[in-house]
């Protein structure tokens, strides 16, 4: 039941602090400050030369965030592709690699076909699934469950942030096993992760200011999303979520790609959502944002207090997020992006939980 919520999507967004906590407790022992899995892995991160990821839609975007994490923190090269491309690409694979699949339903046809291709090509098969009795789970050597509970809204919200929480745990484990972080550094990361549910709760409180922005967005035809680093996949997720439930045309670009084409679209009728926590990419993203402002694009900046302080643009909307450790920002910044899509669609009066033309589980290619 939806309880006091208007839609399942709204309810599921608000469940995130709890289900993330629950999911994390399956991977992390907060008392000892260590990642600890419930069962032994059939492979070791230590000897891995490559991870190959494949998934669809929002699950693919979770994998894209994890590519940045695995490469930066655990120093493992990651290949990632949408499953519908990967399955036919005939990618050469070195035996003994790890193939990681991400799927809420565990039944997505293209993801399953990619899994079978990787098995035939001598890879270890691991999957992050929400439905543990699913086909993808059954055909995997290792299963990393998300404990998000049933997700009813067609637009994925809590499954996405739980997927990211599992991936982050695996990244920390991989970094430790590969000797890239010390015991102290692992404890620091685990301490940061332990604060995730609190940050998510704080982000949920931004629902009201975001509603005001959403009211305006519900009247436009096109929206652009920009981000750099792990905020780039978040931009992709923002555009996907908005398209799915509001039917507004939205596109996402890596902020640095702006001048290679999409800037031609910018005029006073084009809102641009800029995702820019105050991290190492902030200054560069903001200079891209200024190029948008100079062409009268309407900017919606999603940043933290420090980022808001450093923003010199007068005429722009700012969503001020709590300051969070950099490694957590892709999870916490998923919230304003979900809320923006949700409230925009709600103003438009679309069927938020069952958007036209979409199915929750895509079992045909
Ligand atoms: C987006 C969405 C879809 C799914 C995609 C994969 O909100 O729900 O893009 O993420 O169809 O589905 P699963 O995770 O079940 O493989």
């Amino acid at each position: 039941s939806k309880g006091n919520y208007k839609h399942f999507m709204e309810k599921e967004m608000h469940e995130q602090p709890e289900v993330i906590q629950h999911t994390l407790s399956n991977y992390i022992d907060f008392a000892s400050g260590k990642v600890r899995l419930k069962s032994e892995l059939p492979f070791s991160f230590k000897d891995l030369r490559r991870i190959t990821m494949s998934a669809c839609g929002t699950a693919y975007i979770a994998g894209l965030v994890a590519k940045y994490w695995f490469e930066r923190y655990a120093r493992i090269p990651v290949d990632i592709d949408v499953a519908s491309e990967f399955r036919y690409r005939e990618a050469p694979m070195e035996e003994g690699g790890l193939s990681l699949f991400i799927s809420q339903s565990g039944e997505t046809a293209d993801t399953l076909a990619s899994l079978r291709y990787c098995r035939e090509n001598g890879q270890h098969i691991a999957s992050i699934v929400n439905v543990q009795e699913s086909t993808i789970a059954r055909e995997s050597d290792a299963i990393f469950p998300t404990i998000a509970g049933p997700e009813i809204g067609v637009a994925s919200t809590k499954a996405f942030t739980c997927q990211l929480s599992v991936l982050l745990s695996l990244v920390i484990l991989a970094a430790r096993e590969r000797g890239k972080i010390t015991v102290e550094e692992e404890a620091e990361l685990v301490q940061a992760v332990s604060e995730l549910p609190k940050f998510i709760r704080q982000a949920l409180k931004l629902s009201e200011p975001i509603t005001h922005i959403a009211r305006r967005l519900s009247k436009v035809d096109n929206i652009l999303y920009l981000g750099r680093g792990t905020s780039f996949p978040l931009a992709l997720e923002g555009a996907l979520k908005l398209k799915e439930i509001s039917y507004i045309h939205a596109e996402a670009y890596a902020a640095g790609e702006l001048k290679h084409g999409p800037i031609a679209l910018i005029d006073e009728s084009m809102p641009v959502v800029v995702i820019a926590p105050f991290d190492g990419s902030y200054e560069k993203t903001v200079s891209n944002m200024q190029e948008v402002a100079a062409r009268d694009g309407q900017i919606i900046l999603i940043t933290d207090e420090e980022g808001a302080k450093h923003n010199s643009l007068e005429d722009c909307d700012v969503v001020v997020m709590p300051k969070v450790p950099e490694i957590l920002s892709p999870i916490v910044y998923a919230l304003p992006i979900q809320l923006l899509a949700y409230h925009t669609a709600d103003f438009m009066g679309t069927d938020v939980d069952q958007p036209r033309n979409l199915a929750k589980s895509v079992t045909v290619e």
Side-chain angles (χ1 to χ4, degrees):
S1 121
K2 289 187 286 220
N4 291 328
Y5 294 103
K6 187 167 172 189
H7 298 102
F8 279 106
M9 182 179 174
E10 189 188 22
K11 173 171 181 259
E12 289 163 3
M13 287 190 297
H14 283 85
E15 282 171 0
Q16 289 175 105
E18 229 173 280
V19 294
I20 287 174
Q21 172 84 52
H22 197 166
T23 297
L24 286 171
S25 68
N26 272 263
Y27 295 89
I28 294 185
D29 178 25
F30 290 105
S32 67
K34 283 185 152 337
V35 174
R36 193 153 66 202
L37 303 186
K38 301 250 145 143
S39 51
E40 192 106 338
L41 287 180
F43 61 88
S44 147
F45 281 110
K46 189 160 175 281
D47 324 311
L48 272 189
R49 294 159 68 99
R50 179 168 300 275
I51 299 176
T52 307
M53 286 197 249
S54 182
C56 303
T58 286
Y60 161 74
I61 293 170
L64 214 47
V65 171
K67 174 184 168 77
Y68 285 82
W69 281 338
F70 272 119
E71 295 193 341
R72 173 166 175 193
Y73 294 97
R75 311 300 298 156
I76 309 180
V78 174
D79 273 341
I80 174 158
D81 209 344
V82 289
S84 57
E85 286 301 312
F86 180 81
R87 65 179 291 190
Y88 296 117
R89 204 151 54 78
E90 297 182 34
M93 306 188 91
E94 191 183 331
E95 290 237 349
L98 171 65
S99 290
L100 184 55
F101 303 90
I102 308 165
S103 177
Q104 188 285 127
S105 65
E107 301 295 345
T108 302
D110 285 324
T111 308
L112 181 58
S114 298
L115 180 156
R116 289 174 178 161
Y117 176 89
C118 291
R119 175 164 311 282
E120 278 161 22
N121 283 271
Q123 305 298 297
H124 298 289
I125 307 294
S127 56
I128 297 178
V129 290
N130 197 44
V131 181
Q132 286 192 59
E133 307 75 35
S134 58
T135 312
I136 288 175
R138 255 196 328 270
E139 295 198 15
S140 299
D141 308 325
I143 308 168
F144 302 116
T146 49
I147 321 289
E151 194 179 58
I152 310 290
V154 164
S156 183
T157 53
K158 62 177 182 171
F160 177 65
T161 48
C162 284
Q163 285 159 355
L164 289 176
S165 302
V166 172
L167 285 160
L168 180 52
S169 306
L170 296 179
V171 167
I172 298 172
L173 176 67
R176 182 226 293 163
E177 289 195 347
R178 295 167 77 81
K180 303 301 174 194
I181 51 172
T182 61
V183 174
E184 293 75 32
E185 285 165 333
E186 179 175 3
E188 265 169 47
L189 287 170
V190 164
Q191 164 62 29
V193 173
S194 74
E195 294 194 282
L196 249 180
K198 177 189 82 186
F199 292 134
I200 301 278
R201 250 176 239 117
Q202 291 170 350
L204 278 166
K205 296 214 175 92
L206 297 170
S207 195
E208 211 181 290
I210 289 174
T211 306
H212 295 294
I213 299 169
R215 187 192 301 274
R216 269 189 295 115
L217 290 191
S218 68
K219 299 188 174 68
V220 308
D221 297 322
N222 302 286
I223 302 181
L224 214 56
Y225 284 75
L226 299 177
R228 268 178 194 265
T230 51
S231 297
F232 166 48
L234 263 284
L236 290 170
E237 175 63 3
L240 178 62
K241 213 97 298 179
L242 189 82
K243 274 185 275 220
E244 285 186 288
I245 59 173
S246 75
Y247 317 143
I248 296 175
H249 172 227
E251 281 194 74
Y253 282 93
E257 277 288 291
L258 187 67
K259 57 170 74 62
H260 300 286
I263 197 164
L265 295 170
I266 307 290
D267 63 16
E268 67 293 339
S269 71
M270 178 69 96
V272 181
V273 177
V274 180
I275 304 158
F278 194 74
D279 58 18
S281 305
Y282 177 86
E283 290 297 336
K284 287 203 190 315
T285 306
V286 162
S287 86
N288 299 128
M289 180 175 93
Q290 280 155 347
E291 291 160 9
V292 172
R295 288 155 185 88
D296 297 325
Q298 317 162 29
I299 286 158
I300 297 143
L301 172 62
I302 306 178
T303 186
D304 49 29
E305 286 140 23
E306 203 56 27
K309 232 185 281 165
H310 283 76
N311 165 41
S312 57
L313 290 181
E314 304 259 299
D315 189 21
C316 84
D317 288 294
V318 186
V319 175
V320 185
M321 296 281 291
K323 176 160 183 46
V324 303
E326 185 170 344
I327 199 166
L328 301 186
S329 62
I331 309 183
V332 184
Y333 278 65
L335 274 287
I337 265 171
Q338 296 167 351
L339 289 166
L340 193 60
Y342 173 75
H343 289 296
T344 304
D346 190 32
F347 277 120
M348 298 180 77
T350 58
D351 189 347
V352 169
D353 287 332
Q354 294 261 285
R356 68 186 185 199
N357 310 341
L358 291 174
K360 184 68 186 161
S361 174
V362 184
T363 52
V364 290
E365 66 173 302

